[in-house]
Amino acid sequence: MLRDQILYWFAIYLAVGLPSLILLRLMVYFLYGPSPYGGALDDIMQEIRGNGSLRVRSIRLAGKVLMFPLILLIWPLVVGLVLQYRFSSSGRDWKSDPEAAFHCKRSHLVRVVTPEAAEAAAFVVDPLGRVPDLPFGHLNAGWRALLADRQIGDSLWYFEVPGHTPAPDAEAQRHQYAVPRGTKRGYALVQSRKVRAEFVFEWD
Amino acid sequence: MTAQFSERLLFEGQELTLCAVPLGPFLEFSGSTLKFEATSTALWRGYVGTWAIENDRLYLVKLSGNSVIDGEEREVGLEALFPDYPDGVFAHWFTGELRCPSGALLKYVHGGFGSLYEIDQFFRVQRGVVLERRAVINGQGKLGASRSYQISAMTTFGKKKQD
């Protein structure tokens, strides 16, 4: 397992580092001309041959020598880590908002209700008897599914999603609807100020 | 994008073209597991519902759709969704406006229910109860213009059969 992980990160290191190294070397070559050692080695050679006291040159040389492998080792790994996080499932979860899957957003929440109060307001009566005698009538299974999904810490909210009215000159307005379209009403389970589940009982 | 087959609305002894899909919210939020299959690009929803307004209430009285059951595509009706209500169900889940176009075609739009006809009849419905009815005159069609609901082109799919 550990061996696999080491190989995985080594592969990422090579995949990022080698093409970048070749590219950078080409850039140095074309921008600064050919050099017998390369940019970083040139610096080191200058320190060895340069002026100043031996102590100062030794300190500067040690810094450059130490920095060289550190940078060489770390930067491809950092790039690899960022790429891996960005494209992994955890990275995607971090980018996407789980609440986006719901019709109800935080701004649509109207008031906290109890399940009993919601049910009391939801009995449907039909003179022809074409609806079951249950809260939310034909939608009762959806309501029961919402209640079954409740967890400790959830609160039940009544919500209203406003519809949209096209601008008077918009092409979509050629059919002259009188009321906004796409309005929705329902109940949502909210935990830590986040919508966790929803049940829509009325929708245009 | 393709113009879609309309639903049907029975009202005062007439069968009207209904350019709305009141069953959509029910399918999404009722917990129903029935999935309809598209039979053509002009019927992506996979069914046609016949609705009726009786005593100012909206009922779904007939359904004709396609669904894959036991690995084979079959025609299904109202009983597949509402086995206890063969004569129809009260559409209490629907709130909004139903639009029924009629008259000559003024502008053809090859997408959804976008085409414009001479008259749009609207029924404003709240939780299945019809509150208001109004008509909008959109214009006058040219002589010889089509007077029936139009779909100019579509691609029909073959029946699905799973092995």
Side-chain angles (χ1 to χ4, degrees), chain A residues 125-126 130 132 136 138 142 171 174-179 202-204, chain B residues 28-30 57 59 85 90 92 95 97 99 107 114-115 120 127 134:
Chain A
V125 178
D126 179 48
R130 291 175 175 179
F136 301 100
H138 292 293
E171 179 74 1
R174 62 179 169 264
H175 303 302
Q176 297 173 46
Y177 290 93
V179 295
E202 203 182 307
W203 186 8
D204 176 357
Chain B
E28 186 159 352
F29 297 109
S30 66
R57 282 169 172 257
Y59 294 95
Y85 298 88
F90 176 42
H92 60 83
T95 289
E97 280 185 294
R99 181 173 67 85
K107 184 183 180 185
S115 294
D120 273 333
R127 298 187 188 186
R134 68 192 172 93

PDB file of all heavy atoms in Angstrom, chain A residues 125-126 130 132 136 138 142 171 174-179 202-204, chain B residues 28-30 57 59 85 90 92 95 97 99 107 114-115 120 127 134:
ATOM      1  N   VAL A 125     -59.166  17.766   0.126  1.00  0.00           N
ATOM      2  CA  VAL A 125     -60.547  17.278   0.049  1.00  0.00           C
ATOM      3  C   VAL A 125     -60.996  17.345  -1.402  1.00  0.00           C
ATOM      4  O   VAL A 125     -60.747  18.337  -2.095  1.00  0.00           O
ATOM      5  CB  VAL A 125     -61.471  18.146   0.940  1.00  0.00           C
ATOM      6  CG1 VAL A 125     -62.911  17.672   0.834  1.00  0.00           C
ATOM      7  CG2 VAL A 125     -60.995  18.116   2.387  1.00  0.00           C
ATOM      8  N   ASP A 126     -61.633  16.281  -1.869  1.00  0.00           N
ATOM      9  CA  ASP A 126     -62.177  16.291  -3.225  1.00  0.00           C
ATOM     10  C   ASP A 126     -63.591  15.698  -3.189  1.00  0.00           C
ATOM     11  O   ASP A 126     -63.774  14.585  -2.698  1.00  0.00           O
ATOM     12  CB  ASP A 126     -61.271  15.463  -4.154  1.00  0.00           C
ATOM     13  CG  ASP A 126     -61.833  15.429  -5.558  1.00  0.00           C
ATOM     14  OD1 ASP A 126     -62.200  16.508  -6.073  1.00  0.00           O
ATOM     15  OD2 ASP A 126     -61.932  14.339  -6.135  1.00  0.00           O
ATOM     16  N   ARG A 130     -61.394  11.581  -5.402  1.00  0.00           N
ATOM     17  CA  ARG A 130     -60.289  11.125  -6.242  1.00  0.00           C
ATOM     18  C   ARG A 130     -58.933  11.501  -5.641  1.00  0.00           C
ATOM     19  O   ARG A 130     -57.999  11.898  -6.349  1.00  0.00           O
ATOM     20  CB  ARG A 130     -60.424  11.710  -7.650  1.00  0.00           C
ATOM     21  CG  ARG A 130     -61.604  11.134  -8.405  1.00  0.00           C
ATOM     22  CD  ARG A 130     -61.782  11.818  -9.728  1.00  0.00           C
ATOM     23  NE  ARG A 130     -62.857  11.190 -10.505  1.00  0.00           N
ATOM     24  CZ  ARG A 130     -63.240  11.615 -11.697  1.00  0.00           C
ATOM     25  NH1 ARG A 130     -62.646  12.658 -12.256  1.00  0.00           N
ATOM     26  NH2 ARG A 130     -64.215  11.017 -12.333  1.00  0.00           N
ATOM     27  N   PRO A 132     -56.473  10.362  -1.959  1.00  0.00           N
ATOM     28  CA  PRO A 132     -56.461   9.608  -0.693  1.00  0.00           C
ATOM     29  C   PRO A 132     -56.591  10.531   0.517  1.00  0.00           C
ATOM     30  O   PRO A 132     -56.165  11.684   0.471  1.00  0.00           O
ATOM     31  CB  PRO A 132     -55.094   8.912  -0.707  1.00  0.00           C
ATOM     32  CG  PRO A 132     -54.273   9.642  -1.694  1.00  0.00           C
ATOM     33  CD  PRO A 132     -55.194  10.288  -2.666  1.00  0.00           C
ATOM     34  N   PHE A 136     -51.139  15.641   2.245  1.00  0.00           N
ATOM     35  CA  PHE A 136     -50.561  15.844   0.911  1.00  0.00           C
ATOM     36  C   PHE A 136     -51.113  14.878  -0.149  1.00  0.00           C
ATOM     37  O   PHE A 136     -50.546  14.751  -1.232  1.00  0.00           O
ATOM     38  CB  PHE A 136     -49.025  15.772   0.941  1.00  0.00           C
ATOM     39  CG  PHE A 136     -48.408  16.789   1.849  1.00  0.00           C
ATOM     40  CD1 PHE A 136     -47.990  16.436   3.113  1.00  0.00           C
ATOM     41  CD2 PHE A 136     -48.289  18.112   1.456  1.00  0.00           C
ATOM     42  CE1 PHE A 136     -47.452  17.384   3.980  1.00  0.00           C
ATOM     43  CE2 PHE A 136     -47.758  19.062   2.310  1.00  0.00           C
ATOM     44  CZ  PHE A 136     -47.332  18.694   3.577  1.00  0.00           C
ATOM     45  N   HIS A 138     -52.052  12.653  -2.932  1.00  0.00           N
ATOM     46  CA  HIS A 138     -51.290  11.739  -3.801  1.00  0.00           C
ATOM     47  C   HIS A 138     -49.778  11.885  -3.612  1.00  0.00           C
ATOM     48  O   HIS A 138     -49.015  11.069  -4.114  1.00  0.00           O
ATOM     49  CB  HIS A 138     -51.634  12.009  -5.273  1.00  0.00           C
ATOM     50  CG  HIS A 138     -53.036  11.639  -5.631  1.00  0.00           C
ATOM     51  ND1 HIS A 138     -53.485  10.345  -5.647  1.00  0.00           N
ATOM     52  CD2 HIS A 138     -54.108  12.416  -5.968  1.00  0.00           C
ATOM     53  CE1 HIS A 138     -54.765  10.321  -5.994  1.00  0.00           C
ATOM     54  NE2 HIS A 138     -55.168  11.565  -6.192  1.00  0.00           N
ATOM     55  N   GLY A 142     -44.013  11.022  -0.888  1.00  0.00           N
ATOM     56  CA  GLY A 142     -42.887  11.959  -0.887  1.00  0.00           C
ATOM     57  C   GLY A 142     -42.718  12.627   0.469  1.00  0.00           C
ATOM     58  O   GLY A 142     -41.599  12.816   0.959  1.00  0.00           O
ATOM     59  N   GLU A 171     -38.833  37.377 -25.828  1.00  0.00           N
ATOM     60  CA  GLU A 171     -39.443  36.417 -26.755  1.00  0.00           C
ATOM     61  C   GLU A 171     -40.329  35.429 -26.004  1.00  0.00           C
ATOM     62  O   GLU A 171     -41.401  35.061 -26.469  1.00  0.00           O
ATOM     63  CB  GLU A 171     -38.325  35.676 -27.501  1.00  0.00           C
ATOM     64  CG  GLU A 171     -38.781  34.623 -28.474  1.00  0.00           C
ATOM     65  CD  GLU A 171     -39.382  35.186 -29.753  1.00  0.00           C
ATOM     66  OE1 GLU A 171     -39.442  36.420 -29.909  1.00  0.00           O
ATOM     67  OE2 GLU A 171     -39.815  34.386 -30.578  1.00  0.00           O
ATOM     68  N   ARG A 174     -44.203  35.922 -25.376  1.00  0.00           N
ATOM     69  CA  ARG A 174     -45.223  35.943 -26.441  1.00  0.00           C
ATOM     70  C   ARG A 174     -46.492  35.230 -25.984  1.00  0.00           C
ATOM     71  O   ARG A 174     -47.572  35.516 -26.459  1.00  0.00           O
ATOM     72  CB  ARG A 174     -44.683  35.351 -27.737  1.00  0.00           C
ATOM     73  CG  ARG A 174     -44.266  33.911 -27.644  1.00  0.00           C
ATOM     74  CD  ARG A 174     -43.763  33.399 -28.970  1.00  0.00           C
ATOM     75  NE  ARG A 174     -43.133  32.120 -28.806  1.00  0.00           N
ATOM     76  CZ  ARG A 174     -41.832  31.943 -28.667  1.00  0.00           C
ATOM     77  NH1 ARG A 174     -41.035  32.976 -28.692  1.00  0.00           N
ATOM     78  NH2 ARG A 174     -41.322  30.749 -28.491  1.00  0.00           N
ATOM     79  N   HIS A 175     -46.361  34.269 -25.055  1.00  0.00           N
ATOM     80  CA  HIS A 175     -47.548  33.701 -24.416  1.00  0.00           C
ATOM     81  C   HIS A 175     -47.765  34.503 -23.133  1.00  0.00           C
ATOM     82  O   HIS A 175     -46.895  34.528 -22.270  1.00  0.00           O
ATOM     83  CB  HIS A 175     -47.323  32.231 -24.080  1.00  0.00           C
ATOM     84  CG  HIS A 175     -46.955  31.414 -25.278  1.00  0.00           C
ATOM     85  ND1 HIS A 175     -47.765  31.329 -26.379  1.00  0.00           N
ATOM     86  CD2 HIS A 175     -45.865  30.680 -25.553  1.00  0.00           C
ATOM     87  CE1 HIS A 175     -47.185  30.548 -27.290  1.00  0.00           C
ATOM     88  NE2 HIS A 175     -46.024  30.153 -26.813  1.00  0.00           N
ATOM     89  N   GLN A 176     -48.929  35.149 -23.074  1.00  0.00           N
ATOM     90  CA  GLN A 176     -49.083  36.172 -22.024  1.00  0.00           C
ATOM     91  C   GLN A 176     -49.601  35.585 -20.701  1.00  0.00           C
ATOM     92  O   GLN A 176     -50.761  35.774 -20.336  1.00  0.00           O
ATOM     93  CB  GLN A 176     -49.988  37.282 -22.540  1.00  0.00           C
ATOM     94  CG  GLN A 176     -49.353  37.990 -23.735  1.00  0.00           C
ATOM     95  CD  GLN A 176     -50.299  38.986 -24.369  1.00  0.00           C
ATOM     96  OE1 GLN A 176     -50.947  39.773 -23.693  1.00  0.00           O
ATOM     97  NE2 GLN A 176     -50.387  38.941 -25.686  1.00  0.00           N
ATOM     98  N   TYR A 177     -48.709  34.907 -20.017  1.00  0.00           N
ATOM     99  CA  TYR A 177     -49.054  34.372 -18.702  1.00  0.00           C
ATOM    100  C   TYR A 177     -49.239  35.533 -17.727  1.00  0.00           C
ATOM    101  O   TYR A 177     -48.503  36.517 -17.787  1.00  0.00           O
ATOM    102  CB  TYR A 177     -47.959  33.440 -18.197  1.00  0.00           C
ATOM    103  CG  TYR A 177     -47.884  32.135 -18.959  1.00  0.00           C
ATOM    104  CD1 TYR A 177     -47.041  31.986 -20.053  1.00  0.00           C
ATOM    105  CD2 TYR A 177     -48.682  31.056 -18.585  1.00  0.00           C
ATOM    106  CE1 TYR A 177     -46.992  30.797 -20.762  1.00  0.00           C
ATOM    107  CE2 TYR A 177     -48.629  29.855 -19.289  1.00  0.00           C
ATOM    108  CZ  TYR A 177     -47.783  29.736 -20.375  1.00  0.00           C
ATOM    109  OH  TYR A 177     -47.729  28.560 -21.064  1.00  0.00           O
ATOM    110  N   ALA A 178     -50.200  35.365 -16.817  1.00  0.00           N
ATOM    111  CA  ALA A 178     -50.514  36.461 -15.892  1.00  0.00           C
ATOM    112  C   ALA A 178     -49.743  36.371 -14.587  1.00  0.00           C
ATOM    113  O   ALA A 178     -49.562  37.366 -13.904  1.00  0.00           O
ATOM    114  CB  ALA A 178     -52.015  36.462 -15.598  1.00  0.00           C
ATOM    115  N   VAL A 179     -49.331  35.178 -14.231  1.00  0.00           N
ATOM    116  CA  VAL A 179     -48.630  35.013 -12.947  1.00  0.00           C
ATOM    117  C   VAL A 179     -47.226  34.467 -13.213  1.00  0.00           C
ATOM    118  O   VAL A 179     -46.985  33.843 -14.245  1.00  0.00           O
ATOM    119  CB  VAL A 179     -49.399  34.055 -12.000  1.00  0.00           C
ATOM    120  CG1 VAL A 179     -50.736  34.651 -11.604  1.00  0.00           C
ATOM    121  CG2 VAL A 179     -49.599  32.701 -12.650  1.00  0.00           C
ATOM    122  N   GLU A 202     -46.230  21.730  -4.201  1.00  0.00           N
ATOM    123  CA  GLU A 202     -46.965  22.591  -5.117  1.00  0.00           C
ATOM    124  C   GLU A 202     -45.976  23.208  -6.090  1.00  0.00           C
ATOM    125  O   GLU A 202     -44.955  23.759  -5.680  1.00  0.00           O
ATOM    126  CB  GLU A 202     -47.624  23.700  -4.286  1.00  0.00           C
ATOM    127  CG  GLU A 202     -48.819  24.338  -4.936  1.00  0.00           C
ATOM    128  CD  GLU A 202     -49.351  25.451  -4.059  1.00  0.00           C
ATOM    129  OE1 GLU A 202     -49.618  25.194  -2.866  1.00  0.00           O
ATOM    130  OE2 GLU A 202     -49.465  26.577  -4.548  1.00  0.00           O
ATOM    131  N   TRP A 203     -46.257  23.062  -7.373  1.00  0.00           N
ATOM    132  CA  TRP A 203     -45.293  23.551  -8.358  1.00  0.00           C
ATOM    133  C   TRP A 203     -46.022  23.928  -9.626  1.00  0.00           C
ATOM    134  O   TRP A 203     -46.831  23.172 -10.140  1.00  0.00           O
ATOM    135  CB  TRP A 203     -44.262  22.447  -8.643  1.00  0.00           C
ATOM    136  CG  TRP A 203     -43.140  22.856  -9.529  1.00  0.00           C
ATOM    137  CD1 TRP A 203     -42.848  24.105  -9.977  1.00  0.00           C
ATOM    138  CD2 TRP A 203     -42.129  22.009 -10.076  1.00  0.00           C
ATOM    139  NE1 TRP A 203     -41.722  24.105 -10.756  1.00  0.00           N
ATOM    140  CE2 TRP A 203     -41.267  22.823 -10.839  1.00  0.00           C
ATOM    141  CE3 TRP A 203     -41.874  20.647  -9.993  1.00  0.00           C
ATOM    142  CZ2 TRP A 203     -40.170  22.308 -11.516  1.00  0.00           C
ATOM    143  CZ3 TRP A 203     -40.780  20.151 -10.667  1.00  0.00           C
ATOM    144  CH2 TRP A 203     -39.936  20.969 -11.419  1.00  0.00           C
ATOM    145  N   ASP A 204     -45.689  25.090 -10.148  1.00  0.00           N
ATOM    146  CA  ASP A 204     -46.214  25.493 -11.441  1.00  0.00           C
ATOM    147  C   ASP A 204     -45.334  24.834 -12.484  1.00  0.00           C
ATOM    148  O   ASP A 204     -44.239  25.298 -12.735  1.00  0.00           O
ATOM    149  CB  ASP A 204     -46.170  27.014 -11.578  1.00  0.00           C
ATOM    150  CG  ASP A 204     -46.612  27.477 -12.948  1.00  0.00           C
ATOM    151  OD1 ASP A 204     -46.892  26.621 -13.809  1.00  0.00           O
ATOM    152  OD2 ASP A 204     -46.665  28.692 -13.151  1.00  0.00           O
TER     153      ASP A 204
ATOM    154  N   GLU B  28     -41.914  14.091 -10.107  1.00  0.00           N
ATOM    155  CA  GLU B  28     -40.652  14.411  -9.437  1.00  0.00           C
ATOM    156  C   GLU B  28     -40.727  14.275  -7.921  1.00  0.00           C
ATOM    157  O   GLU B  28     -39.752  13.888  -7.283  1.00  0.00           O
ATOM    158  CB  GLU B  28     -40.210  15.835  -9.806  1.00  0.00           C
ATOM    159  CG  GLU B  28     -38.842  16.152  -9.259  1.00  0.00           C
ATOM    160  CD  GLU B  28     -38.163  17.299  -9.984  1.00  0.00           C
ATOM    161  OE1 GLU B  28     -38.680  17.767 -11.013  1.00  0.00           O
ATOM    162  OE2 GLU B  28     -37.120  17.733  -9.514  1.00  0.00           O
ATOM    163  N   PHE B  29     -41.892  14.592  -7.346  1.00  0.00           N
ATOM    164  CA  PHE B  29     -41.924  14.714  -5.884  1.00  0.00           C
ATOM    165  C   PHE B  29     -42.811  13.712  -5.156  1.00  0.00           C
ATOM    166  O   PHE B  29     -42.896  13.751  -3.938  1.00  0.00           O
ATOM    167  CB  PHE B  29     -42.335  16.129  -5.489  1.00  0.00           C
ATOM    168  CG  PHE B  29     -41.352  17.145  -5.954  1.00  0.00           C
ATOM    169  CD1 PHE B  29     -41.652  18.018  -6.967  1.00  0.00           C
ATOM    170  CD2 PHE B  29     -40.088  17.207  -5.387  1.00  0.00           C
ATOM    171  CE1 PHE B  29     -40.726  18.945  -7.411  1.00  0.00           C
ATOM    172  CE2 PHE B  29     -39.155  18.128  -5.829  1.00  0.00           C
ATOM    173  CZ  PHE B  29     -39.476  18.994  -6.841  1.00  0.00           C
ATOM    174  N   SER B  30     -43.462  12.836  -5.885  1.00  0.00           N
ATOM    175  CA  SER B  30     -44.377  11.915  -5.204  1.00  0.00           C
ATOM    176  C   SER B  30     -43.670  10.683  -4.672  1.00  0.00           C
ATOM    177  O   SER B  30     -44.237   9.924  -3.906  1.00  0.00           O
ATOM    178  CB  SER B  30     -45.459  11.466  -6.179  1.00  0.00           C
ATOM    179  OG  SER B  30     -44.866  10.697  -7.212  1.00  0.00           O
ATOM    180  N   ARG B  57     -62.447  21.941 -11.015  1.00  0.00           N
ATOM    181  CA  ARG B  57     -61.307  21.197 -10.474  1.00  0.00           C
ATOM    182  C   ARG B  57     -60.597  20.477 -11.613  1.00  0.00           C
ATOM    183  O   ARG B  57     -61.240  20.007 -12.554  1.00  0.00           O
ATOM    184  CB  ARG B  57     -61.768  20.178  -9.422  1.00  0.00           C
ATOM    185  CG  ARG B  57     -62.061  20.845  -8.106  1.00  0.00           C
ATOM    186  CD  ARG B  57     -62.757  19.915  -7.150  1.00  0.00           C
ATOM    187  NE  ARG B  57     -62.838  20.565  -5.844  1.00  0.00           N
ATOM    188  CZ  ARG B  57     -62.049  20.277  -4.811  1.00  0.00           C
ATOM    189  NH1 ARG B  57     -61.161  19.325  -4.900  1.00  0.00           N
ATOM    190  NH2 ARG B  57     -62.168  20.940  -3.671  1.00  0.00           N
ATOM    191  N   TYR B  59     -58.583  17.429 -13.090  1.00  0.00           N
ATOM    192  CA  TYR B  59     -58.381  15.993 -12.886  1.00  0.00           C
ATOM    193  C   TYR B  59     -57.537  15.423 -14.023  1.00  0.00           C
ATOM    194  O   TYR B  59     -57.673  15.859 -15.172  1.00  0.00           O
ATOM    195  CB  TYR B  59     -59.720  15.253 -12.874  1.00  0.00           C
ATOM    196  CG  TYR B  59     -60.606  15.613 -11.701  1.00  0.00           C
ATOM    197  CD1 TYR B  59     -61.584  16.599 -11.820  1.00  0.00           C
ATOM    198  CD2 TYR B  59     -60.473  14.962 -10.476  1.00  0.00           C
ATOM    199  CE1 TYR B  59     -62.400  16.941 -10.756  1.00  0.00           C
ATOM    200  CE2 TYR B  59     -61.294  15.293  -9.401  1.00  0.00           C
ATOM    201  CZ  TYR B  59     -62.252  16.288  -9.547  1.00  0.00           C
ATOM    202  OH  TYR B  59     -63.057  16.629  -8.485  1.00  0.00           O
ATOM    203  N   TYR B  85     -57.190   4.506  -8.439  1.00  0.00           N
ATOM    204  CA  TYR B  85     -58.044   5.572  -8.993  1.00  0.00           C
ATOM    205  C   TYR B  85     -58.157   5.447 -10.515  1.00  0.00           C
ATOM    206  O   TYR B  85     -57.644   6.265 -11.267  1.00  0.00           O
ATOM    207  CB  TYR B  85     -57.473   6.950  -8.607  1.00  0.00           C
ATOM    208  CG  TYR B  85     -57.433   7.167  -7.111  1.00  0.00           C
ATOM    209  CD1 TYR B  85     -56.326   6.754  -6.369  1.00  0.00           C
ATOM    210  CD2 TYR B  85     -58.504   7.743  -6.445  1.00  0.00           C
ATOM    211  CE1 TYR B  85     -56.298   6.913  -4.996  1.00  0.00           C
ATOM    212  CE2 TYR B  85     -58.480   7.902  -5.071  1.00  0.00           C
ATOM    213  CZ  TYR B  85     -57.373   7.488  -4.357  1.00  0.00           C
ATOM    214  OH  TYR B  85     -57.352   7.643  -3.007  1.00  0.00           O
ATOM    215  N   PHE B  90     -57.473  13.756  -8.651  1.00  0.00           N
ATOM    216  CA  PHE B  90     -57.516  15.200  -8.457  1.00  0.00           C
ATOM    217  C   PHE B  90     -56.074  15.720  -8.446  1.00  0.00           C
ATOM    218  O   PHE B  90     -55.251  15.267  -7.659  1.00  0.00           O
ATOM    219  CB  PHE B  90     -58.225  15.503  -7.129  1.00  0.00           C
ATOM    220  CG  PHE B  90     -58.248  16.951  -6.759  1.00  0.00           C
ATOM    221  CD1 PHE B  90     -58.509  17.944  -7.697  1.00  0.00           C
ATOM    222  CD2 PHE B  90     -58.040  17.347  -5.442  1.00  0.00           C
ATOM    223  CE1 PHE B  90     -58.543  19.285  -7.348  1.00  0.00           C
ATOM    224  CE2 PHE B  90     -58.075  18.679  -5.076  1.00  0.00           C
ATOM    225  CZ  PHE B  90     -58.317  19.655  -6.033  1.00  0.00           C
ATOM    226  N   HIS B  92     -54.220  17.994  -7.195  1.00  0.00           N
ATOM    227  CA  HIS B  92     -54.071  19.030  -6.144  1.00  0.00           C
ATOM    228  C   HIS B  92     -52.646  19.565  -6.056  1.00  0.00           C
ATOM    229  O   HIS B  92     -52.393  20.586  -5.430  1.00  0.00           O
ATOM    230  CB  HIS B  92     -54.488  18.457  -4.791  1.00  0.00           C
ATOM    231  CG  HIS B  92     -53.667  17.271  -4.376  1.00  0.00           C
ATOM    232  ND1 HIS B  92     -52.443  17.388  -3.766  1.00  0.00           N
ATOM    233  CD2 HIS B  92     -53.883  15.945  -4.524  1.00  0.00           C
ATOM    234  CE1 HIS B  92     -51.960  16.186  -3.539  1.00  0.00           C
ATOM    235  NE2 HIS B  92     -52.803  15.283  -3.993  1.00  0.00           N
ATOM    236  N   THR B  95     -50.240  24.059  -9.230  1.00  0.00           N
ATOM    237  CA  THR B  95     -50.575  25.476  -9.074  1.00  0.00           C
ATOM    238  C   THR B  95     -49.917  26.211 -10.222  1.00  0.00           C
ATOM    239  O   THR B  95     -48.731  26.008 -10.478  1.00  0.00           O
ATOM    240  CB  THR B  95     -50.055  26.016  -7.728  1.00  0.00           C
ATOM    241  OG1 THR B  95     -50.841  25.459  -6.676  1.00  0.00           O
ATOM    242  CG2 THR B  95     -50.161  27.531  -7.648  1.00  0.00           C
ATOM    243  N   GLU B  97     -50.658  28.253 -14.296  1.00  0.00           N
ATOM    244  CA  GLU B  97     -51.574  28.541 -15.394  1.00  0.00           C
ATOM    245  C   GLU B  97     -51.481  27.456 -16.461  1.00  0.00           C
ATOM    246  O   GLU B  97     -50.386  27.060 -16.860  1.00  0.00           O
ATOM    247  CB  GLU B  97     -51.232  29.894 -16.018  1.00  0.00           C
ATOM    248  CG  GLU B  97     -51.785  31.060 -15.229  1.00  0.00           C
ATOM    249  CD  GLU B  97     -51.530  32.379 -15.935  1.00  0.00           C
ATOM    250  OE1 GLU B  97     -50.358  32.767 -16.060  1.00  0.00           O
ATOM    251  OE2 GLU B  97     -52.501  33.012 -16.347  1.00  0.00           O
ATOM    252  N   ARG B  99     -52.295  26.601 -20.334  1.00  0.00           N
ATOM    253  CA  ARG B  99     -52.511  27.357 -21.582  1.00  0.00           C
ATOM    254  C   ARG B  99     -53.029  26.425 -22.676  1.00  0.00           C
ATOM    255  O   ARG B  99     -52.431  25.378 -22.932  1.00  0.00           O
ATOM    256  CB  ARG B  99     -51.201  28.007 -22.044  1.00  0.00           C
ATOM    257  CG  ARG B  99     -51.349  28.837 -23.323  1.00  0.00           C
ATOM    258  CD  ARG B  99     -50.066  29.588 -23.632  1.00  0.00           C
ATOM    259  NE  ARG B  99     -48.977  28.696 -23.978  1.00  0.00           N
ATOM    260  CZ  ARG B  99     -48.752  28.218 -25.207  1.00  0.00           C
ATOM    261  NH1 ARG B  99     -49.545  28.547 -26.209  1.00  0.00           N
ATOM    262  NH2 ARG B  99     -47.730  27.418 -25.433  1.00  0.00           N
ATOM    263  N   LYS B 107     -47.146  31.803 -35.487  1.00  0.00           N
ATOM    264  CA  LYS B 107     -45.685  31.663 -35.549  1.00  0.00           C
ATOM    265  C   LYS B 107     -45.308  30.268 -35.080  1.00  0.00           C
ATOM    266  O   LYS B 107     -45.687  29.870 -33.968  1.00  0.00           O
ATOM    267  CB  LYS B 107     -45.024  32.716 -34.662  1.00  0.00           C
ATOM    268  CG  LYS B 107     -43.510  32.690 -34.749  1.00  0.00           C
ATOM    269  CD  LYS B 107     -42.869  33.682 -33.802  1.00  0.00           C
ATOM    270  CE  LYS B 107     -41.365  33.614 -33.932  1.00  0.00           C
ATOM    271  NZ  LYS B 107     -40.696  34.463 -32.959  1.00  0.00           N
ATOM    272  N   GLY B 114     -43.620  26.265 -27.850  1.00  0.00           N
ATOM    273  CA  GLY B 114     -43.317  27.661 -28.170  1.00  0.00           C
ATOM    274  C   GLY B 114     -44.178  28.299 -29.250  1.00  0.00           C
ATOM    275  O   GLY B 114     -44.234  29.525 -29.349  1.00  0.00           O
ATOM    276  N   SER B 115     -44.855  27.501 -30.078  1.00  0.00           N
ATOM    277  CA  SER B 115     -45.608  28.096 -31.199  1.00  0.00           C
ATOM    278  C   SER B 115     -46.730  29.002 -30.701  1.00  0.00           C
ATOM    279  O   SER B 115     -47.287  28.800 -29.622  1.00  0.00           O
ATOM    280  CB  SER B 115     -46.192  26.986 -32.071  1.00  0.00           C
ATOM    281  OG  SER B 115     -45.155  26.269 -32.693  1.00  0.00           O
ATOM    282  N   ASP B 120     -55.013  32.212 -27.067  1.00  0.00           N
ATOM    283  CA  ASP B 120     -54.537  31.420 -25.928  1.00  0.00           C
ATOM    284  C   ASP B 120     -55.598  31.513 -24.843  1.00  0.00           C
ATOM    285  O   ASP B 120     -55.960  32.610 -24.403  1.00  0.00           O
ATOM    286  CB  ASP B 120     -53.215  31.993 -25.377  1.00  0.00           C
ATOM    287  CG  ASP B 120     -51.997  31.441 -26.093  1.00  0.00           C
ATOM    288  OD1 ASP B 120     -52.081  30.312 -26.614  1.00  0.00           O
ATOM    289  OD2 ASP B 120     -50.975  32.145 -26.143  1.00  0.00           O
ATOM    290  N   ARG B 127     -53.646  24.774  -6.416  1.00  0.00           N
ATOM    291  CA  ARG B 127     -53.767  23.458  -5.771  1.00  0.00           C
ATOM    292  C   ARG B 127     -54.898  22.636  -6.391  1.00  0.00           C
ATOM    293  O   ARG B 127     -55.732  22.066  -5.694  1.00  0.00           O
ATOM    294  CB  ARG B 127     -53.970  23.608  -4.265  1.00  0.00           C
ATOM    295  CG  ARG B 127     -52.775  24.283  -3.623  1.00  0.00           C
ATOM    296  CD  ARG B 127     -52.852  24.297  -2.135  1.00  0.00           C
ATOM    297  NE  ARG B 127     -51.779  25.106  -1.589  1.00  0.00           N
ATOM    298  CZ  ARG B 127     -51.504  25.233  -0.323  1.00  0.00           C
ATOM    299  NH1 ARG B 127     -52.212  24.584   0.569  1.00  0.00           N
ATOM    300  NH2 ARG B 127     -50.520  25.985   0.092  1.00  0.00           N
ATOM    301  N   ARG B 134     -59.366  32.996 -18.678  1.00  0.00           N
ATOM    302  CA  ARG B 134     -59.304  34.191 -19.526  1.00  0.00           C
ATOM    303  C   ARG B 134     -58.764  33.799 -20.893  1.00  0.00           C
ATOM    304  O   ARG B 134     -58.106  32.752 -21.038  1.00  0.00           O
ATOM    305  CB  ARG B 134     -58.420  35.279 -18.893  1.00  0.00           C
ATOM    306  CG  ARG B 134     -56.978  34.930 -18.844  1.00  0.00           C
ATOM    307  CD  ARG B 134     -56.163  35.865 -17.983  1.00  0.00           C
ATOM    308  NE  ARG B 134     -54.824  35.318 -17.864  1.00  0.00           N
ATOM    309  CZ  ARG B 134     -53.809  35.631 -18.662  1.00  0.00           C
ATOM    310  NH1 ARG B 134     -53.966  36.531 -19.619  1.00  0.00           N
ATOM    311  NH2 ARG B 134     -52.627  35.073 -18.515  1.00  0.00           N
TER     312      ARG B 134
END
